[in-house]
Every structure is written in C-alpha cells, then in structure tokens.
Amino acid sequence: MSTQTHKEAKKVTTHVLQEMKIRGEKISMLTAYDYSMAKIFDAAKIDVLLVGDSASNVMHGHQTTLPITLDEMISHAASVIKAVDRALVVVDLPFGSYQGNSKAALNSSIRIMKEAEAHAVKLEGGEEVVESVKRILTAGIPVMGHLGLTPQSIYKFGTYEVRAKENAEAAKLINDARLLEQAGCFALVLEKIPAALAKQVAESVKIPIIGIGAGPHVDGQVLVSHDMLGINKDFSPKFLRRYLNLYDEIQKAVEHYVADVKSSDFPNEKEQY
Ligand code: KIV
C-alpha cells in the first residue's frame, strides 16, 4: 500500500480522493473556467477544479445555468485543462446534454473527454440519472454526482432555498446518494442542505462527499471561484466566505488606469521605446 500523501502526489486522481476520505483529509475544490485562473488555482494546490455550468452565470451573464451549451462547456474545459499539472479536472454536463437519455449522456461525456481532455464529468440528479451514470461508466469515464439544490432544475423547485429540510425529501436524498454510489459515482456534491443531513450522507456512503452550503461534516468543500474571490458582488448566501474583494480592487485599478491615461501620466519615459 502506498504511503504517499496527496500533497506529494504528482496528480490528484479519483483514487487519491478516495484515499483522502479514508484518511480523513479534507478535499478542496473550486470552480475554474479559463486558463489563467486555473493556472493560479493549480499552483495553489487545489485538489479538484470543477468546470461548473455556473460558467453560464459568471462567464456568460445568463440568469440560470440552463442556457450554456455543450460546445461552450468544452471550450472552457479545454482551456482549464491546458493550465493544470496536478488538480483533477471535473466538467459539468450542461442542461439538455444528458437528461432522460443515457445514450446522449454517454455521447456528451465522450465529447468532453475527447475534445477537452478532461478527467471526469459531473451531472445533477438522483435515481433518474442512475442509468446514465452506468452507461457513461461503460466508457471508463469517472462520474461525480450532484444532489440537494440542483440548479438545472430551478424551474421545478421555483427557488434557490435550502433543500431537503423536510423528512421525505431528506430520505429521498439519502437513498439517491446510495443509488449513485452503487451505480459507480466516484464522489458526490451536496448543495445547500442542512449540515446534519450532509453528515448523515457522508457517513452512510464510502465515496467522498463534497459540500457547498452543506456544513463542515463532509469530506471536502467547493465554492464558485468568482464568489469566494469577490468578483461577484450580488451573491451573498450565508454559506459563502469571501477571501478577496476583487470587484472593488479591479474597479479601483481600472479607475486609476483611466485617470493616468486621461492625464497623460501613462506611459511615462520608462514605459516607451
Ligand atoms: O456549476 C457549479 O459551479 C457547481 C457548483 C456549485 C458545485 O455545480
């Protein structure tokens, strides 16, 4: 058995994540959508980069995650992959590329793996996507599940409020987690559910559970990078910790630049040929 810790591991794989859960070592995950950010995140030793369909909101300016296309996701994923030496890169299957059709799920996943050279795919849903998970796995493609608040179903839920507060929905979520594990998912994201329920799920399955707004008793945490870096000022859910206020910092820098150009302060004598 290897005694190598994940910090020494040259590349984070799905097996490394499994070993981390067994050791009790927390998994760090962030979203990334482009080459330059992904390069910084990988240098900072993030374990997993998610090319999330939140790109629909933060990169394309849509109100929901529904409009982003498979071609757009592949383009984001291909630029992230080029930047990464160490992190595991997981790519969201976008809305409409897998629902209700396991053959479409397989074909979309193959495109992501072949055209972007990604390491794994993620899809939203429980029992209803089990057949798709199994079919994607027949091609040797690792699959991450996503339960709780699943933004691709926003028009079914009607709100972005905390999910599974009632017993029936909590019981379904636990059952869905078990079904996804049995189907072969290597990990699950749990979004915006009560911390006690997330703990129960993390204890009842062997695969790593990565939480977002799901409390501390899970195997890892994920945040949308634009939110934690403060690029996005309009989104402030309770679960979010902001590590920077990049919106303000960038605005200040650009105002400074505009003023320097207007006053002919830039470029100075040293900044010319
Ligand atoms: O698309 C995304 O950013 C996600 C995270 C919220 C987990 O799915």
Side-chain angles (χ1 to χ4, degrees):
M1 201 182 87
S2 162
T3 54
Q4 188 186 42
T5 72
H6 92 282
K7 288 185 193 101
E8 296 154 357
K10 188 147 174 31
K11 288 200 184 293
V12 179
T13 63
T14 57
H15 302 279
V16 169
L17 299 184
Q18 187 61 60
E19 286 166 13
M20 288 169 74
K21 169 153 182 150
I22 292 166
R23 275 202 304 275
E25 183 180 347
K26 297 279 185 176
I27 297 164
S28 61
M29 173 161 147
L30 272 180
T31 62
Y33 318 102
D34 68 77
Y35 175 84
S36 302
M37 284 285 194
K39 202 162 180 65
I40 301 170
F41 298 166
D42 194 53
K45 300 230 174 334
I46 195 80
D47 295 316
V48 185
L49 283 179
L50 171 66
V51 183
D53 60 356
S54 48
S56 181
N57 308 94
V58 300
M59 300 300 287
H60 294 259
H62 297 300
Q63 288 294 315
T64 72
T65 58
L66 276 70
I68 198 161
T69 66
L70 184 57
D71 285 341
E72 286 167 336
M73 289 301 295
I74 289 171
S75 170
H76 287 294
S79 56
V80 166
I81 279 284
K82 287 193 194 96
V84 165
D85 283 330
R86 178 180 172 279
L88 181 81
V89 178
V90 182
V91 181
D92 263 336
L93 283 164
F95 177 72
S97 73
Y98 66 96
Q99 282 94 345
N101 184 339
S102 65
K103 188 162 192 300
L106 175 63
N107 290 342
S108 303
S109 304
I110 289 176
R111 279 200 60 201
I112 287 172
M113 301 299 280
K114 218 176 172 61
E115 296 174 39
E117 300 187 67
H119 306 146
V121 298
K122 174 164 90 54
L123 46 65
E124 296 181 4
E127 194 175 1
E128 62 281 9
V129 297
V130 160
E131 193 189 320
S132 292
V133 170
K134 289 184 182 160
R135 194 145 179 188
I136 296 168
L137 279 161
T138 62
I141 301 171
V143 184
M144 180 182 269
H146 183 154
L147 295 170
L149 176 61
T150 47
Q152 291 180 11
S153 306
I154 183 57
Y155 291 113
K156 183 173 132 198
F157 297 144
T159 77
Y160 288 101
E161 287 307 306
V162 179
R163 304 300 312 172
K165 287 204 280 195
E166 307 303 330
N167 287 346
E169 197 184 341
K172 177 175 168 18
L173 191 142
I174 293 170
N175 190 48
D176 280 344
R178 291 201 180 115
L179 291 175
L180 290 173
E181 176 181 45
Q182 282 160 16
C185 281
F186 72 87
L188 301 179
V189 165
L190 293 185
E191 182 165 354
K192 227 172 168 188
I193 62 167
L197 175 61
K199 179 172 189 275
Q200 211 182 329
V201 175
E203 287 170 356
S204 65
V205 297
K206 292 199 166 60
I207 55 175
I209 299 296
I210 319 278
I212 172 163
H217 311 294
V218 287
D219 306 302
Q221 299 291 331
V222 57
L223 285 175
V224 170
S225 50
H226 282 55
D227 300 337
M228 64 84 80
L229 294 173
I231 298 175
N232 214 0
K233 271 177 93 157
D234 307 329
F235 185 66
S236 298
K238 183 177 169 187
F239 69 77
L240 176 63
R241 185 178 292 181
R242 279 219 173 86
Y243 289 82
L244 271 178
N245 276 309
L246 265 190
Y247 186 104
D248 292 338
E249 292 301 313
I250 293 172
Q251 185 178 350
K252 261 188 267 166
V254 174
E255 281 169 1
H256 197 163
Y257 168 72
V258 169
D260 286 353
V261 170
K262 301 273 180 202
S263 66
S264 299
D265 180 84
F266 176 79
N268 65 23
E269 281 187 7
K270 288 185 196 153
E271 292 162 334
Q272 56 184 281
Y273 300 100

